[in-house]
Amino acid sequence: MSSLDSLPRSILTSSILSYSTSGDLLGIRASSKALHDIVQDEDSELWRLALIRDFKFQRGTDCLQAIHPPPININEEHLGSPQVPFLRTGDVFAARSHFESWKNWRRLNLAYHVSGIKVDEMILDCDEGQFIVGPYFLRAASLWAKVEHWCNSDASGRAGDDILSSLTPGRAYLLPPTDCPPINTAAFQAIYSFYAGQDEGVMKTR
């Protein structure tokens, strides 16, 4: 039986590797230098396809946009700290390759799902159904960046300062309120990762 790295490269990438899961690609990548070079080829479509498959990027869109994930702090006393935002709008960046982009989305996905979970309940990877939707997080970052820009502009006057001071830091793994009408939970996750709402107490004093 022939080994994978003895197959023609075109057949290997288009007929086998392109149908492999991301976990399989990582395993294949570590099996030999030849396969490592094929899987890591920056001109390869493999990791762009992985971004489409895992994080719901659309075909034909820019898959290099990524978000720097926050550090995963497993010290129980720091988990879910309300003073530290889970994400900031300035965390968005352009990755140099689709593999780098995929790695950052994977780390962000992991950080999102373990935030606020006790150490003894942590799972160091997520099921396929738990992957976050990357484009939603990028849209949320763009939306909040526009809000911040307006609030910091002269056009907003004092209202801008009042709004910014009332916004509460973003949280991960935050579920929609029980009295909230049916919504897109994936979009909710993205929006609330940057800002988790407004402090009613602050708003009442303004």
Side-chain angles (χ1 to χ4, degrees), residues 5 39 43 58 88 156 158 161 165-166 180:
D5 51 7
V39 173
D43 294 327
Q58 298 296 311
R88 297 179 175 88
S156 67
R158 181 179 172 181
D161 293 334
S165 63
S166 72
C180 185

Side-chain angles (χ1 to χ4, degrees), residues 36 79 83 108 110 127 174 180:
H36 179 279
L79 287 173
Q83 285 76 37
L108 177 55
L110 177 59
D127 296 331
L174 189 66
C180 185

